[in-house]
Amino acid sequence: AFFRLSGYAFPVQTGYSVAFVDVAVRIRSKLISADLSSTTDSNGNFSLFFVAGTPGIHGLRAQHPNDLAIFDQQTTQLAALSPSPLRMTVTDVTGEELKVSIEISNPGDVTVANIVPSIVDESDAIISVSLSKSNLLKGEVLIANLSIMSPTPIWRVLRVQFRGTAGTIPVSTIFLLDLDLTDPAAVLSINLKRHTVFAPRGEQRLFTATLSNIGNNLTGPVEIVTPPGFFFVQVIGPPMPTRIAPGQSRNMTFSVTPLSTQEFGTYKGPVTLTDGETQATMTLTAHVTSSVMVNFTVIVQDEFSYFAEGRPNVANASVRLIGIAGFREELISNINGTATFIDIPEGSYQLTVQSLKHAPKTLVVNIVGGANSRAVFLNRQLISFTWSVKPTVVRDKYTVSLDVEFETHVPAPVVTIQPSVLDIDALEAMYPCLVEPCPCENITTIYFNATNEGLIQAEVLELSLPQSLETIKFNILVPNNLAILPARSSYIYPVQVTVCPEPGFLNTYSAGYVSRNRRGTRQRRSGGCTSARYSYHVNCSGLQKSSVPIETVHQSQCGHPVRRRYYGGSGNGGTFVHSSLQGTHECGFDPCEPWNKAKDCLSLGGMCGGSTIDFL
């Protein structure tokens, strides 16, 4: 609600009005305190508007800021109109009449007469307003009925003004109408958002879902759309395509009928009912099963099953079978290394086999009618690794050993690799860069000795070293595609190490001890974790892959930084590894081992890479 204050300005000495002068007026009433300003017109008159707050009777006095005397004081009535609600949002479609009713009240103490509505904003909508009365006494309420229709879509806010008079003073209020009118459209909805069905091969399974049109227009011809591979899902009633009127529903009967040759498994995807303009989607999970019961035998094998005397299979192995619908069964292989599951339904299962001192194996098997058996090969773990750390009297200095234990003279490949630890940090520290930019330089050659301690040859062997480091590059100097590593023999891989330091790469080192200048500590930019391994295969009804890990020491991006210090030996390759095989030499292995004829490498000056060496 607003007050309007009118007056004129004149000097006390003359009493004549003063034109075009600035006037400052101080307003003090029961609810407000304001200092206002205006300018007189050519006749010395001025007027001011200000917010008075709530309607009702107010005491008002006015005075000039430079005159403390109150020269005018009176009591005034403040009138108002109030809509309820103040704002409304309406959503409908074009071409239809929309009716809205609101209340207009008189919260003041004086009568507001001659109330009329008007639309402030222009639009394509046709809006008419009728009032239940045009005069409001104190506390009375009238009903304003709005009729809205638009031939075109519209989305905007319209202002509807209600104006009246209290005596000679105009009174008005604004009602806000948020319009969202769109063209009529069909909207499809389905009551089943997700559904699961178990369907045996060659059999039909039915289920029903309700499809509704919650829009305001007739749908087009509704058809079913399924993902690739869901050809066994159809709608068999009502006949498709079908049309649905606004506010109507249809019970849709779905048929799930896998072929008798359908692959077992779980099929999951969206099934959509659409007329091309609107759609409703249901996520269908179809488990293709079977009602045929079969027996299934698992034969657990390892290298001994092919090369040891008597060819024994693996006894006391855990054999676990997991299927759909919560199926789970676990057996222990008998003395013959077999486990037989009795009367299980045909289908797709997850088979997990594990045994002590063997690498576990998990695979998916499809079990169908007839004789069912599956041989599962487990790599026998003939090698174990043990870390040991010994603190020294020097602060932050340790001796770290990797103890390798393996079985020998067994009917299986027993492949080891030395050195078994690759210290990336120590390799970087071997190349001190004092003047930048630092050039790339070949700093050393590491000789990896691959040995087959078993009585069976290993096949298709490969040495894998980190390739994603920015500062270290490894170049294997011999062909890295060894076809066969015979039993009781070795093969040497000379590997050239090149360091390309990063900017700011500052390291110091001393004989037998590697340390990093803490001023040169930096965030690694190498490509993720580092890993190295020596992989090989054994031919047991096909090539079965296995591998020997090469432990890497590197402050990489994988987890927290690893910070270790090592004693090293002497020679070109001895400053980066200290293992349980003490006294490393140029070829990376101990020549004193009586079984290792590869010590002849030393007498050749280390030039023995790329050929196998037999030993007794």
Side-chain angles (χ1 to χ4, degrees):
F2 295 87
F3 271 119
R4 179 185 178 188
L5 178 65
S6 300
Y8 64 94
F10 61 91
V12 177
Q13 295 84 353
T14 65
Y16 297 106
S17 61
V18 181
F20 308 116
V21 298
D22 294 332
V23 176
V25 178
R26 178 172 296 153
I27 305 298
R28 298 291 184 269
S29 71
K30 183 168 61 175
L31 297 177
I32 64 170
S33 175
D35 292 330
L36 307 176
S37 62
S38 182
T39 303
T40 62
D41 59 18
S42 59
N43 298 318
N45 299 315
F46 66 89
S47 61
L48 300 167
F49 291 90
F50 59 95
V51 178
T54 59
I57 301 176
H58 294 271
L60 179 67
R61 66 179 186 268
Q63 64 187 86
H64 195 281
N66 296 331
D67 188 352
L68 298 181
I70 298 175
F71 57 84
D72 193 5
Q73 181 170 333
Q74 57 182 310
T75 299
T76 185
Q77 295 270 2
L78 180 60
L81 293 173
S82 177
S84 179
L86 296 174
R87 187 168 191 161
M88 179 182 294
T89 299
V90 293
T91 302
D92 210 324
V93 297
T94 59
E96 294 187 4
E97 184 181 17
L98 174 66
K99 295 184 177 181
V100 175
S101 296
I102 64 171
E103 294 182 347
I104 304 294
S105 61
N106 178 7
D109 297 320
V110 296
T111 299
V112 179
N114 304 317
I115 301 173
V116 294
S118 63
I119 307 301
V120 178
D121 303 292
E122 295 183 358
S123 72
D124 294 335
I126 302 172
I127 304 175
S128 61
V129 184
S130 61
L131 304 180
S132 61
K133 60 174 69 175
S134 59
N135 298 324
L136 287 179
L137 301 178
K138 173 184 176 181
E140 285 189 336
V141 176
L142 65 82
I143 303 299
N145 297 304
L146 287 78
S147 175
I148 307 157
M149 187 174 67
S150 176
T152 59
I154 182 173
W155 182 67
R156 62 170 303 173
V157 178
L158 294 180
R159 292 175 294 171
V160 182
Q161 186 178 51
F162 297 89
R163 294 179 297 175
T165 56
T168 59
I169 303 300
V171 180
S172 67
T173 189
I174 293 290
F175 166 68
L176 298 179
L177 180 63
D178 294 290
L179 284 180
D180 186 4
L181 304 181
T182 59
D183 288 330
V187 179
L188 289 175
S189 176
I190 194 167
N191 65 325
L192 289 182
K193 303 302 181 184
R194 294 177 179 83
H195 187 68
T196 301
V197 61
F198 294 88
R201 297 200 300 187
E203 299 182 19
Q204 185 184 59
R205 292 292 184 267
L206 304 177
F207 69 94
T208 300
T210 301
L211 183 66
S212 303
N213 180 3
I214 59 176
N216 43 44
N217 201 9
L218 180 67
T219 68
V222 177
E223 296 183 309
I224 182 173
V225 178
T226 58
F230 274 63
F231 56 87
F232 53 87
V233 179
Q234 296 178 335
V235 173
I236 61 174
M240 301 292 281
T242 186
R243 298 170 72 98
I244 305 177
Q248 299 297 311
S249 299
R250 293 283 189 275
N251 289 327
M252 315 296 290
T253 301
F254 291 85
S255 169
V256 181
T257 311
L259 300 176
S260 58
T261 57
Q262 185 81 28
E263 290 189 8
F264 294 116
T266 298
Y267 298 77
K268 183 177 182 179
V271 175
T272 302
L273 297 166
T274 178
D275 66 352
E277 296 294 333
T278 179
Q279 66 182 34
T281 299
M282 167 183 59
T283 299
L284 178 63
T285 303
H287 299 291
V288 177
T289 62
S290 175
S291 57
V292 178
M293 308 302 288
V294 296
N295 297 337
F296 178 63
T297 299
V298 178
I299 306 169
V300 186
Q301 300 177 327
D302 63 4
E303 292 89 345
F304 287 12
S305 304
Y306 292 85
F307 305 115
E309 183 178 357
R311 297 190 174 185
N313 293 325
V314 181
N316 297 318
S318 169
V319 183
R320 183 185 308 116
L321 203 60
I322 299 176
I324 62 177
F327 179 92
R328 182 187 180 96
E329 189 172 341
E330 185 170 349
L331 301 176
I332 302 298
S333 63
N334 58 24
I335 192 173
N336 297 318
T338 63
T340 301
F341 298 88
I342 306 297
D343 288 337
I344 62 174
E346 290 181 320
S348 181
Y349 293 85
Q350 176 182 288
L351 174 63
T352 301
V353 183
Q354 52 189 0
S355 179
L356 185 65
K357 292 189 176 181
H358 290 77
K361 180 167 290 187
T362 298
L363 62 156
V364 175
V365 294
N366 284 326
I367 303 175
V368 296
N372 282 284
S373 64
R374 180 67 177 264
V376 178
F377 184 88
L378 302 183
N379 290 103
R380 180 177 283 270
Q381 294 179 328
L382 301 171
I383 305 175
S384 61
F385 301 88
T386 304
W387 283 101
S388 60
V389 181
K390 297 179 181 179
T392 67
V393 294
V394 180
R395 181 183 178 185
D396 199 24
K397 186 175 180 182
Y398 305 89
T399 298
V400 180
S401 299
L402 180 63
D403 300 318
V404 182
E405 298 180 3
F406 50 86
E407 300 181 35
T408 61
H409 297 85
V410 293
V414 182
V415 178
T416 62
I417 186 109
Q418 289 292 337
S420 57
V421 178
L422 186 61
D423 191 340
I424 306 298
D425 293 340
L427 284 172
E428 289 181 342
M430 289 178 63
Y431 177 57
C433 181
L434 302 179
V435 179
E436 293 186 348
C438 303
C440 297
E441 185 172 327
N442 301 330
I443 60 168
T444 188
T445 300
I446 305 174
Y447 291 87
F448 285 93
N449 178 25
T451 303
N452 183 0
E453 286 286 342
L455 301 178
I456 302 298
Q457 70 181 18
E459 303 180 22
V460 190
L461 303 98
E462 182 181 15
L463 176 63
S464 299
L465 298 174
Q467 299 298 323
S468 60
L469 302 173
E470 290 189 1
T471 57
I472 297 287
K473 304 298 179 185
F474 297 99
N475 181 24
I476 302 175
L477 301 180
V478 295
N480 191 20
N481 54 354
L482 185 63
I484 294 176
L485 182 60
R488 308 292 292 166
S489 66
S490 295
Y491 186 81
I492 309 299
Y493 291 86
V495 177
Q496 186 179 74
V497 182
T498 303
V499 176
C500 292
E502 301 168 334
F505 185 94
L506 297 176
N507 292 314
T508 60
Y509 72 100
S510 60
Y513 176 69
V514 177
S515 66
R516 178 172 290 103
N517 186 337
R518 297 192 182 275
R519 293 177 302 167
T521 301
R522 65 214 181 277
Q523 187 70 28
R524 299 276 181 183
R525 296 202 303 268
S526 56
C529 305
T530 59
S531 63
R533 65 182 57 251
Y534 187 60
S535 60
Y536 64 95
H537 296 75
V538 57
N539 194 345
C540 299
S541 294
L543 293 178
Q544 308 291 336
K545 186 176 181 179
S546 188
S547 62
V548 181
I550 301 174
E551 298 294 333
T552 58
V553 179
H554 184 36
Q555 182 183 315
S556 68
Q557 298 172 358
C558 187
H560 61 275
V562 178
R563 296 172 182 264
R564 298 192 179 108
R565 302 291 182 263
Y566 299 90
Y567 286 116
S570 60
N572 292 337
T575 59
F576 62 93
V577 60
H578 178 87
S579 72
S580 59
L581 303 178
Q582 301 289 331
T584 55
H585 290 269
E586 184 172 330
C587 287
F589 50 85
D590 188 352
C592 298
E593 291 287 350
W595 48 263
N596 199 345
K597 288 188 177 181
K599 64 180 182 289
D600 296 337
C601 163
L602 297 179
S603 64
L604 299 176
M607 302 302 294
C608 59
S611 61
T612 56
I613 304 173
D614 298 328
F615 53 87
L616 298 177

